[in-house]
Amino acid sequence: MSAPVPSGLEALLGPGGLITDPQEMAPYVTGWRYGQGRARFVARPATTEAVAALLARCRAEGVRVVPQGANTGLVGASVPDMGGEMAVLSLERLDRLEVDPADRTALAGGGVRLSALNAALAPHGLFFPVDLGADPCVGGMVATNTGGTRLLRYGDVRRNLLGVEVVLADGTVVDALSPLRKNNAGLDWKQLFTGTSGLFGVVTAASLQTAPLPRQVSAALVAVEDGAAALALLLAAEAGLGETLSAFEAMSAEALAPVFRHLPNPFDLVPPYAVLVEASTALPATAFDLEAALQGVLEAHLEAGGPGILDARFGRAEAFWALRHRISESLREEGRVLAFDLSVPRSSLPAFTAEARARVAAAWPWLRVCDFGHWGDGGTHLNLVWREEAAPGDPAGWIPEVQAGLYALAVEGFRGSYSAEHGVGPHNQRSFDRFTPAPVKAAGAALRAHFDPAGILGTARLW
Protein backbone atom coordinates (compact mmCIF):
# COMPACT_ATOMS: atom_id res chain seq x y z
CA MET A 1 0.00 0.00 0.00
CA SER A 2 1.29 3.49 -0.90
CA ALA A 3 2.34 5.89 1.85
CA PRO A 4 -0.12 8.61 2.90
CA VAL A 5 -0.36 11.90 1.00
CA PRO A 6 0.98 14.93 2.88
CA SER A 7 -1.81 17.18 4.08
CA GLY A 8 -2.60 20.46 2.38
CA LEU A 9 -1.50 19.50 -1.13
CA GLU A 10 -4.93 20.06 -2.66
CA ALA A 11 -4.90 23.67 -1.52
CA LEU A 12 -1.31 24.11 -2.66
CA LEU A 13 -1.90 22.67 -6.15
CA GLY A 14 -5.41 23.98 -6.78
CA PRO A 15 -8.32 22.30 -8.57
CA GLY A 16 -7.23 19.32 -10.66
CA GLY A 17 -3.72 19.53 -9.31
CA LEU A 18 -3.65 16.38 -7.17
CA ILE A 19 -4.38 12.80 -8.21
CA THR A 20 -4.53 10.01 -5.66
CA ASP A 21 -6.90 7.49 -7.23
CA PRO A 22 -4.88 4.45 -8.44
CA GLN A 23 -6.80 4.16 -11.70
CA GLU A 24 -6.30 7.83 -12.52
CA MET A 25 -2.61 7.54 -11.66
CA ALA A 26 -2.08 4.54 -13.97
CA PRO A 27 -0.96 6.53 -17.07
CA TYR A 28 1.63 8.33 -14.96
CA VAL A 29 3.28 5.21 -13.54
CA THR A 30 3.60 3.17 -16.76
CA GLY A 31 6.47 3.95 -19.11
CA TRP A 32 6.16 4.33 -22.87
CA ARG A 33 8.35 1.28 -23.48
CA TYR A 34 9.98 0.34 -20.15
CA GLY A 35 9.17 1.02 -16.54
CA GLN A 36 6.24 0.22 -14.28
CA GLY A 37 5.90 1.73 -10.83
CA ARG A 38 3.62 2.80 -8.02
CA ALA A 39 3.15 6.37 -6.85
CA ARG A 40 2.14 7.93 -3.55
CA PHE A 41 0.40 10.67 -5.53
CA VAL A 42 0.59 12.61 -8.79
CA ALA A 43 1.03 16.38 -8.55
CA ARG A 44 0.05 18.57 -11.50
CA PRO A 45 1.12 22.13 -10.61
CA ALA A 46 -0.01 24.86 -13.00
CA THR A 47 2.63 27.48 -12.11
CA THR A 48 6.32 27.65 -11.37
CA GLU A 49 5.46 28.93 -7.89
CA ALA A 50 3.37 25.83 -7.24
CA VAL A 51 6.26 23.59 -8.39
CA ALA A 52 8.56 25.43 -5.98
CA ALA A 53 6.15 25.08 -3.06
CA LEU A 54 5.60 21.39 -3.81
CA LEU A 55 9.32 20.57 -3.96
CA ALA A 56 10.02 22.48 -0.77
CA ARG A 57 7.26 20.55 0.96
CA CYS A 58 8.43 17.18 -0.39
CA ARG A 59 12.00 17.85 0.66
CA ALA A 60 10.91 18.83 4.14
CA GLU A 61 8.90 15.61 4.50
CA GLY A 62 11.42 13.34 2.76
CA VAL A 63 9.20 12.52 -0.20
CA ARG A 64 11.13 11.52 -3.32
CA VAL A 65 9.86 12.98 -6.57
CA VAL A 66 10.15 11.90 -10.20
CA PRO A 67 9.64 14.79 -12.66
CA GLN A 68 7.59 13.79 -15.71
CA GLY A 69 6.83 15.51 -18.99
CA ALA A 70 4.68 13.67 -21.51
CA ASN A 71 6.02 10.30 -20.28
CA THR A 72 7.29 9.40 -23.75
CA GLY A 73 10.80 8.47 -22.59
CA LEU A 74 12.25 5.11 -23.57
CA VAL A 75 14.56 4.26 -20.65
CA GLY A 76 12.13 4.17 -17.72
CA ALA A 77 13.37 7.43 -16.13
CA SER A 78 9.99 9.19 -16.11
CA VAL A 79 8.06 6.79 -13.86
CA PRO A 80 8.41 6.01 -10.14
CA ASP A 81 9.82 2.82 -8.75
CA MET A 82 7.66 0.03 -7.31
CA GLY A 83 7.97 1.15 -3.70
CA GLY A 84 4.85 3.32 -3.67
CA GLU A 85 6.73 6.04 -1.77
CA MET A 86 7.55 8.38 -4.64
CA ALA A 87 5.47 11.25 -6.01
CA VAL A 88 5.12 12.02 -9.71
CA LEU A 89 5.52 15.69 -10.55
CA SER A 90 3.76 16.09 -13.89
CA LEU A 91 4.64 19.18 -15.92
CA GLU A 92 1.62 18.88 -18.21
CA ARG A 93 -0.18 21.99 -16.91
CA LEU A 94 2.85 24.29 -17.30
CA ASP A 95 1.64 25.57 -20.65
CA ARG A 96 3.07 29.09 -20.91
CA LEU A 97 3.92 29.84 -24.54
CA GLU A 98 5.24 33.06 -26.10
CA VAL A 99 6.67 33.54 -29.59
CA ASP A 100 9.00 36.35 -30.63
CA PRO A 101 9.18 36.29 -34.45
CA ALA A 102 11.77 39.07 -34.63
CA ASP A 103 14.16 37.23 -32.32
CA ARG A 104 13.07 33.91 -33.85
CA THR A 105 12.68 32.50 -30.34
CA ALA A 106 9.97 30.88 -28.24
CA LEU A 107 9.50 30.79 -24.49
CA ALA A 108 7.74 27.56 -23.62
CA GLY A 109 6.58 26.11 -20.33
CA GLY A 110 7.90 22.72 -19.34
CA GLY A 111 4.56 21.10 -20.15
CA VAL A 112 4.15 22.50 -23.66
CA ARG A 113 3.95 19.67 -26.18
CA LEU A 114 6.17 19.74 -29.25
CA SER A 115 3.06 19.72 -31.44
CA ALA A 116 1.59 22.75 -29.61
CA LEU A 117 4.90 24.59 -29.87
CA ASN A 118 5.06 24.06 -33.62
CA ALA A 119 1.40 24.99 -34.05
CA ALA A 120 2.12 28.34 -32.38
CA LEU A 121 5.26 28.89 -34.46
CA ALA A 122 3.79 27.96 -37.86
CA PRO A 123 1.84 31.21 -38.46
CA HIS A 124 5.16 33.05 -38.15
CA GLY A 125 6.86 30.78 -40.66
CA LEU A 126 8.90 29.08 -37.95
CA PHE A 127 9.27 25.67 -36.29
CA PHE A 128 11.30 23.97 -33.58
CA PRO A 129 13.53 21.70 -35.64
CA VAL A 130 13.89 18.73 -33.27
CA ASP A 131 11.76 16.20 -35.13
CA LEU A 132 10.47 13.11 -33.31
CA GLY A 133 8.04 10.27 -33.72
CA ALA A 134 6.60 11.03 -30.26
CA ASP A 135 5.04 14.24 -28.93
CA PRO A 136 7.07 15.08 -25.83
CA CYS A 137 6.94 18.08 -23.50
CA VAL A 138 9.58 20.79 -23.58
CA GLY A 139 10.77 20.06 -20.03
CA GLY A 140 11.31 16.40 -20.85
CA MET A 141 13.08 17.29 -24.10
CA VAL A 142 15.57 19.40 -22.17
CA ALA A 143 16.03 16.78 -19.45
CA THR A 144 16.85 14.12 -22.03
CA ASN A 145 18.55 16.33 -24.65
CA THR A 146 16.29 14.96 -27.36
CA GLY A 147 17.80 14.37 -30.82
CA GLY A 148 15.52 13.12 -33.58
CA THR A 149 15.56 12.52 -37.30
CA ARG A 150 16.90 15.93 -38.37
CA LEU A 151 19.80 16.23 -35.94
CA LEU A 152 22.12 16.06 -38.96
CA ARG A 153 20.87 19.50 -40.08
CA TYR A 154 19.67 21.26 -36.94
CA GLY A 155 21.33 19.54 -33.99
CA ASP A 156 19.75 18.35 -30.75
CA VAL A 157 17.92 20.27 -28.01
CA ARG A 158 21.24 21.35 -26.48
CA ARG A 159 22.16 23.16 -29.69
CA ASN A 160 18.80 24.95 -29.87
CA LEU A 161 18.44 25.85 -26.19
CA LEU A 162 18.98 29.49 -25.16
CA GLY A 163 17.91 29.48 -21.52
CA VAL A 164 15.97 27.67 -18.80
CA GLU A 165 13.89 28.32 -15.75
CA VAL A 166 14.65 25.66 -13.14
CA VAL A 167 13.21 24.80 -9.74
CA LEU A 168 15.81 23.16 -7.53
CA ALA A 169 15.03 20.37 -5.08
CA ASP A 170 14.64 22.79 -2.14
CA GLY A 171 12.13 24.95 -4.02
CA THR A 172 14.57 27.62 -5.16
CA VAL A 173 13.53 29.12 -8.51
CA VAL A 174 16.32 30.13 -10.90
CA ASP A 175 15.16 32.24 -13.84
CA ALA A 176 17.82 31.99 -16.53
CA LEU A 177 15.42 32.36 -19.47
CA SER A 178 17.84 34.35 -21.57
CA PRO A 179 16.83 34.76 -25.23
CA LEU A 180 20.44 35.52 -26.17
CA ARG A 181 22.33 33.50 -28.74
CA LYS A 182 25.61 35.07 -27.64
CA ASN A 183 26.31 35.01 -23.92
CA ASN A 184 29.87 34.11 -23.00
CA ALA A 185 29.71 35.30 -19.40
CA GLY A 186 31.08 32.27 -17.61
CA LEU A 187 29.25 29.11 -16.55
CA ASP A 188 26.63 27.98 -19.04
CA TRP A 189 23.87 27.34 -16.51
CA LYS A 190 21.32 25.88 -18.90
CA GLN A 191 23.62 23.07 -19.98
CA LEU A 192 23.88 21.74 -16.43
CA PHE A 193 20.24 20.68 -16.71
CA THR A 194 20.31 19.43 -20.30
CA GLY A 195 20.50 15.66 -20.66
CA THR A 196 20.80 15.02 -16.91
CA SER A 197 17.44 13.26 -16.46
CA GLY A 198 15.98 15.88 -14.11
CA LEU A 199 18.36 14.94 -11.31
CA PHE A 200 19.70 18.45 -10.72
CA GLY A 201 16.38 20.31 -10.93
CA VAL A 202 13.01 20.55 -12.65
CA VAL A 203 12.94 22.51 -15.92
CA THR A 204 9.71 24.52 -15.72
CA ALA A 205 10.32 26.65 -18.84
CA ALA A 206 12.81 27.03 -21.66
CA SER A 207 13.85 29.70 -24.11
CA LEU A 208 14.30 28.09 -27.51
CA GLN A 209 15.88 29.04 -30.80
CA THR A 210 13.59 28.29 -33.73
CA ALA A 211 14.20 27.88 -37.45
CA PRO A 212 12.44 29.06 -40.61
CA LEU A 213 9.94 26.60 -41.99
CA PRO A 214 11.22 25.04 -45.21
CA ARG A 215 9.56 26.31 -48.38
CA GLN A 216 10.85 23.33 -50.32
CA VAL A 217 11.34 19.73 -49.26
CA SER A 218 12.63 17.11 -51.67
CA ALA A 219 13.28 13.45 -50.94
CA ALA A 220 14.57 10.29 -52.54
CA LEU A 221 14.44 6.67 -51.46
CA VAL A 222 17.57 4.89 -52.67
CA ALA A 223 18.10 1.13 -52.69
CA VAL A 224 21.69 0.14 -51.96
CA GLU A 225 23.43 -3.20 -51.71
CA ASP A 226 25.08 -2.78 -48.30
CA GLY A 227 26.08 -0.40 -45.52
CA ALA A 228 29.26 0.67 -47.31
CA ALA A 229 27.17 1.88 -50.25
CA ALA A 230 24.94 3.80 -47.86
CA LEU A 231 27.98 5.52 -46.34
CA ALA A 232 29.36 6.44 -49.76
CA LEU A 233 25.96 7.91 -50.67
CA LEU A 234 25.97 9.98 -47.46
CA LEU A 235 29.32 11.55 -48.32
CA ALA A 236 28.15 12.31 -51.86
CA ALA A 237 24.92 13.87 -50.58
CA GLU A 238 26.76 16.09 -48.10
CA ALA A 239 29.25 17.20 -50.74
CA GLY A 240 26.55 17.98 -53.30
CA LEU A 241 23.71 19.32 -51.15
CA GLY A 242 25.63 21.13 -48.44
CA GLU A 243 23.47 22.65 -45.72
CA THR A 244 20.25 21.67 -47.49
CA LEU A 245 20.72 18.00 -46.52
CA SER A 246 18.26 17.68 -43.63
CA ALA A 247 17.97 13.93 -43.00
CA PHE A 248 19.69 10.70 -43.96
CA GLU A 249 18.02 7.52 -42.71
CA ALA A 250 19.13 3.97 -43.47
CA MET A 251 16.71 1.04 -43.15
CA SER A 252 17.72 -2.60 -43.46
CA ALA A 253 15.75 -5.23 -45.37
CA GLU A 254 14.89 -6.95 -42.10
CA ALA A 255 13.38 -3.72 -40.75
CA LEU A 256 11.52 -2.85 -43.94
CA ALA A 257 10.09 -6.23 -44.95
CA PRO A 258 7.37 -6.14 -42.24
CA VAL A 259 6.49 -2.56 -43.25
CA PHE A 260 5.88 -3.63 -46.83
CA ARG A 261 3.13 -5.94 -45.59
CA HIS A 262 1.16 -2.78 -44.79
CA LEU A 263 2.48 -0.09 -47.13
CA PRO A 264 3.46 -0.24 -50.83
CA ASN A 265 7.04 -1.11 -51.69
CA PRO A 266 8.29 1.45 -54.23
CA PHE A 267 10.95 -0.98 -55.45
CA ASP A 268 10.75 -4.28 -57.30
CA LEU A 269 12.59 -5.96 -54.41
CA VAL A 270 13.29 -5.51 -50.74
CA PRO A 271 16.80 -4.05 -50.91
CA PRO A 272 19.52 -4.87 -48.38
CA TYR A 273 19.26 -1.20 -47.34
CA ALA A 274 16.93 1.60 -48.34
CA VAL A 275 18.21 5.10 -47.69
CA LEU A 276 15.89 8.06 -47.22
CA VAL A 277 17.67 11.21 -48.38
CA GLU A 278 15.87 14.45 -47.57
CA ALA A 279 16.87 17.98 -48.53
CA SER A 280 15.06 21.14 -47.48
CA THR A 281 15.49 24.89 -47.73
CA ALA A 282 13.71 28.08 -46.77
CA LEU A 283 14.56 29.50 -50.21
CA PRO A 284 11.73 29.69 -52.76
CA ALA A 285 11.89 27.60 -55.92
CA THR A 286 12.45 30.76 -57.94
CA ALA A 287 15.78 31.21 -56.18
CA PHE A 288 16.91 27.58 -55.98
CA ASP A 289 15.44 24.42 -57.51
CA LEU A 290 15.92 21.91 -54.70
CA GLU A 291 14.39 18.93 -56.49
CA ALA A 292 16.72 19.41 -59.46
CA ALA A 293 19.66 19.71 -57.08
CA LEU A 294 18.83 16.44 -55.33
CA GLN A 295 18.34 14.58 -58.58
CA GLY A 296 21.56 16.05 -59.93
CA VAL A 297 23.55 14.90 -56.92
CA LEU A 298 22.30 11.33 -57.23
CA GLU A 299 22.89 11.25 -60.99
CA ALA A 300 26.41 12.58 -60.51
CA HIS A 301 27.08 9.96 -57.84
CA LEU A 302 26.03 7.22 -60.24
CA GLU A 303 28.01 8.64 -63.15
CA ALA A 304 31.09 8.86 -60.94
CA GLY A 305 30.80 5.15 -60.22
CA GLY A 306 29.11 5.47 -56.85
CA PRO A 307 29.13 1.92 -55.49
CA GLY A 308 26.20 -0.29 -54.75
CA ILE A 309 23.24 1.80 -55.98
CA LEU A 310 20.47 -0.61 -57.00
CA ASP A 311 17.55 1.74 -57.63
CA ALA A 312 16.21 5.18 -56.68
CA ARG A 313 12.78 6.75 -56.39
CA PHE A 314 11.87 10.42 -56.09
CA GLY A 315 8.58 11.47 -54.58
CA ARG A 316 6.74 13.08 -51.71
CA ALA A 317 8.79 13.14 -48.54
CA GLU A 318 5.70 12.25 -46.49
CA ALA A 319 5.31 8.94 -48.31
CA PHE A 320 8.91 7.93 -47.65
CA TRP A 321 8.74 9.03 -44.02
CA ALA A 322 5.59 6.93 -43.60
CA LEU A 323 7.72 3.87 -44.34
CA ARG A 324 10.38 4.95 -41.86
CA HIS A 325 7.92 5.73 -39.07
CA ARG A 326 6.02 2.46 -39.52
CA ILE A 327 9.07 0.32 -38.70
CA SER A 328 8.74 0.15 -34.91
CA GLU A 329 5.04 -0.70 -35.04
CA SER A 330 5.57 -3.33 -37.73
CA LEU A 331 8.40 -5.01 -35.83
CA ARG A 332 6.17 -5.36 -32.77
CA GLU A 333 3.78 -7.36 -34.93
CA GLU A 334 6.63 -9.74 -35.79
CA GLY A 335 7.27 -10.79 -32.20
CA ARG A 336 8.96 -9.44 -29.12
CA VAL A 337 11.44 -6.61 -29.58
CA LEU A 338 14.62 -5.80 -27.68
CA ALA A 339 15.58 -2.27 -28.73
CA PHE A 340 19.06 -0.73 -28.73
CA ASP A 341 19.66 3.00 -29.17
CA LEU A 342 23.33 3.10 -30.17
CA SER A 343 25.77 5.38 -31.91
CA VAL A 344 29.25 4.91 -33.33
CA PRO A 345 31.37 7.12 -35.59
CA ARG A 346 29.61 7.31 -38.95
CA SER A 347 32.55 5.78 -40.73
CA SER A 348 32.21 2.70 -38.48
CA LEU A 349 28.52 2.03 -39.04
CA PRO A 350 28.93 -0.65 -41.74
CA ALA A 351 31.63 -2.52 -39.80
CA PHE A 352 29.80 -2.22 -36.48
CA THR A 353 26.54 -3.49 -37.97
CA ALA A 354 28.26 -6.44 -39.65
CA GLU A 355 30.03 -7.37 -36.40
CA ALA A 356 26.81 -7.05 -34.39
CA ARG A 357 24.98 -9.31 -36.85
CA ALA A 358 27.76 -11.89 -36.69
CA ARG A 359 27.80 -11.95 -32.89
CA VAL A 360 24.03 -12.26 -32.63
CA ALA A 361 23.95 -15.09 -35.18
CA ALA A 362 26.69 -16.99 -33.35
CA ALA A 363 25.56 -16.51 -29.75
CA TRP A 364 21.79 -15.92 -29.94
CA PRO A 365 20.56 -17.42 -33.23
CA TRP A 366 16.88 -17.09 -32.30
CA LEU A 367 17.22 -13.28 -32.55
CA ARG A 368 16.75 -11.40 -35.82
CA VAL A 369 18.66 -8.12 -36.27
CA CYS A 370 16.37 -5.43 -37.71
CA ASP A 371 18.48 -2.29 -37.83
CA PHE A 372 17.53 1.19 -38.97
CA GLY A 373 18.39 4.68 -37.91
CA HIS A 374 19.92 8.08 -38.35
CA TRP A 375 23.05 7.11 -40.25
CA GLY A 376 23.73 10.76 -41.06
CA ASP A 377 24.61 11.40 -37.41
CA GLY A 378 25.97 7.95 -36.52
CA GLY A 379 22.84 6.69 -34.77
CA THR A 380 21.37 3.23 -35.25
CA HIS A 381 18.40 1.48 -33.69
CA LEU A 382 19.65 -2.09 -33.55
CA ASN A 383 16.35 -3.80 -32.78
CA LEU A 384 16.32 -7.53 -32.10
CA VAL A 385 13.13 -9.44 -32.80
CA TRP A 386 12.18 -12.96 -31.73
CA ARG A 387 9.20 -15.22 -31.42
CA GLU A 388 8.66 -16.60 -27.95
CA GLU A 389 8.34 -20.19 -29.14
CA ALA A 390 11.82 -20.00 -30.69
CA ALA A 391 13.63 -18.60 -27.66
CA PRO A 392 15.22 -20.79 -24.97
CA GLY A 393 13.57 -20.33 -21.61
CA ASP A 394 12.72 -17.10 -19.86
CA PRO A 395 14.06 -14.05 -21.75
CA ALA A 396 14.94 -12.44 -18.41
CA GLY A 397 17.70 -15.05 -18.18
CA TRP A 398 19.46 -14.17 -21.44
CA ILE A 399 18.49 -10.55 -22.25
CA PRO A 400 21.10 -9.06 -19.86
CA GLU A 401 23.79 -11.09 -21.61
CA VAL A 402 22.68 -9.80 -25.02
CA GLN A 403 22.57 -6.22 -23.79
CA ALA A 404 25.96 -6.40 -22.13
CA GLY A 405 27.54 -7.91 -25.22
CA LEU A 406 26.18 -5.42 -27.73
CA TYR A 407 26.70 -2.39 -25.51
CA ALA A 408 30.32 -3.43 -25.00
CA LEU A 409 30.75 -3.90 -28.73
CA ALA A 410 29.51 -0.36 -29.41
CA VAL A 411 31.34 1.39 -26.56
CA GLU A 412 34.59 -0.55 -26.26
CA GLY A 413 34.87 -1.98 -29.74
CA PHE A 414 33.86 1.07 -31.79
CA ARG A 415 34.19 4.08 -29.45
CA GLY A 416 30.43 4.51 -29.49
CA SER A 417 27.62 5.15 -27.03
CA TYR A 418 25.08 2.84 -25.42
CA SER A 419 22.55 5.70 -25.47
CA ALA A 420 22.61 7.73 -28.66
CA GLU A 421 19.51 9.83 -27.94
CA HIS A 422 17.22 8.18 -25.39
CA GLY A 423 19.11 9.33 -22.29
CA VAL A 424 19.81 7.33 -19.14
CA GLY A 425 17.37 5.69 -16.78
CA PRO A 426 16.71 2.44 -14.93
CA HIS A 427 16.58 0.54 -18.23
CA ASN A 428 20.23 1.23 -19.03
CA GLN A 429 21.56 1.98 -15.54
CA ARG A 430 24.02 -0.93 -15.67
CA SER A 431 25.60 0.49 -18.81
CA PHE A 432 26.05 3.86 -17.15
CA ASP A 433 27.69 2.15 -14.20
CA ARG A 434 29.99 0.11 -16.44
CA PHE A 435 31.05 2.60 -19.09
CA THR A 436 31.06 6.03 -17.46
CA PRO A 437 34.58 7.14 -16.44
CA ALA A 438 35.11 7.58 -12.72
CA PRO A 439 36.03 11.31 -12.98
CA VAL A 440 32.74 11.98 -14.81
CA LYS A 441 30.80 10.16 -12.10
CA ALA A 442 32.64 12.10 -9.41
CA ALA A 443 31.90 15.46 -11.03
CA GLY A 444 28.24 14.54 -11.42
CA ALA A 445 28.04 13.40 -7.80
CA ALA A 446 29.49 16.71 -6.62
CA LEU A 447 26.96 18.67 -8.66
CA ARG A 448 24.07 16.58 -7.42
CA ALA A 449 25.21 16.99 -3.83
CA HIS A 450 25.12 20.73 -4.43
CA PHE A 451 21.74 20.91 -6.16
CA ASP A 452 19.90 18.07 -4.39
CA PRO A 453 21.80 16.98 -1.27
CA ALA A 454 18.82 14.97 0.01
CA GLY A 455 18.59 13.06 -3.29
CA ILE A 456 14.83 13.47 -3.68
CA LEU A 457 14.73 13.93 -7.48
CA GLY A 458 14.49 11.18 -10.08
CA THR A 459 14.82 7.42 -10.28
CA ALA A 460 18.09 7.14 -12.23
CA ARG A 461 21.22 6.63 -10.12
CA LEU A 462 23.64 8.54 -12.31
CA TRP A 463 25.51 10.22 -9.48
Side-chain angles (χ1 to χ4, degrees), residues 354-367 369 401:
E355 178 65 20
R357 287 176 176 273
R359 291 199 181 188
V360 169
W364 311 288
W366 60 91
L367 297 175
V369 177
E401 177 188 346

Side-chain angles (χ1 to χ4, degrees), residues 19-336:
I19 300 175
T20 57
D21 178 82
Q23 288 189 328
E24 293 182 28
M25 288 195 291
Y28 299 88
V29 299
T30 304
W32 184 272
R33 177 178 291 167
Y34 303 109
Q36 177 69 49
R38 295 170 58 239
R40 184 184 299 203
F41 60 88
V42 174
R44 302 170 63 243
T47 65
T48 298
E49 294 73 22
V51 174
L54 174 73
L55 287 180
R57 178 73 180 277
C58 287
R59 186 188 185 198
E61 299 201 14
V63 178
R64 293 174 58 218
V65 176
V66 55
Q68 184 182 100
N71 197 20
T72 58
L74 297 174
V75 293
S78 59
V79 295
D81 59 29
M82 288 298 296
E85 300 286 329
M86 297 189 75
V88 174
L89 194 173
S90 171
L91 307 179
E92 61 190 347
R93 295 208 298 168
L94 299 175
D95 57 0
R96 176 185 181 188
L97 184 53
E98 303 167 15
V99 176
D100 188 327
D103 264 343
R104 197 159 44 80
T105 61
L107 193 159
V112 172
R113 293 268 190 162
L114 179 60
S115 58
L117 173 61
N118 281 326
L121 290 169
H124 305 285
L126 302 170
F127 78 123
F128 188 59
V130 178
D131 185 73
L132 304 165
D135 190 16
C137 291
V138 166
M141 293 174 71
V142 175
T144 58
N145 187 34
T146 307
T149 56
R150 293 183 173 87
L151 186 145
L152 171 68
R153 167 79 171 275
Y154 298 103
D156 52 15
V157 166
R158 189 184 298 278
R159 183 167 142 192
N160 294 280
L161 184 65
L162 301 176
V164 292
E165 176 187 78
V166 176
V167 180
L168 304 181
D170 64 357
T172 300
V173 179
V174 182
D175 182 347
L177 284 169
S178 169
L180 300 176
R181 289 171 173 79
K182 298 181 72 175
N183 183 3
N184 199 19
L187 182 70
D188 195 347
W189 174 262
K190 65 182 180 290
Q191 299 299 357
L192 293 174
F193 302 91
T194 306
T196 49
S197 299
L199 294 179
F200 294 164
V202 179
V203 176
T204 49
S207 180
L208 305 169
Q209 174 178 269
T210 68
L213 273 168
R215 295 188 187 182
Q216 300 181 71
V217 179
S218 186
L221 194 66
V222 185
V224 298
E225 65 182 14
D226 56 23
L231 182 61
L233 178 61
L234 169 61
L235 300 180
E238 286 186 326
L241 294 169
E243 65 272 15
T244 68
L245 181 63
S246 50
F248 191 94
E249 301 281 311
M251 300 163 278
S252 69
E254 293 81 2
L256 275 177
V259 174
F260 291 147
R261 299 190 183 105
H262 303 277
L263 298 174
N265 181 354
F267 303 116
D268 295 329
L269 74 166
V270 179
Y273 276 93
V275 177
L276 196 169
V277 184
E278 180 195 82
S280 61
T281 179
L283 292 172
T286 53
F288 178 68
D289 189 338
L290 184 65
E291 184 173 350
L294 176 58
Q295 292 189 15
V297 165
L298 289 179
E299 289 170 2
H301 183 56
L302 284 170
E303 290 172 3
I309 305 296
L310 303 176
D311 201 354
R313 294 287 186 270
F314 297 89
R316 292 174 56 250
E318 294 86 352
F320 297 150
W321 280 111
L323 298 173
R324 166 64 176 83
H325 291 317
R326 186 63 187 263
I327 290 176
S328 294
E329 178 185 353
S330 297
L331 291 182
R332 286 194 295 270
E333 296 172 359
E334 295 292 295
R336 295 188 61 178

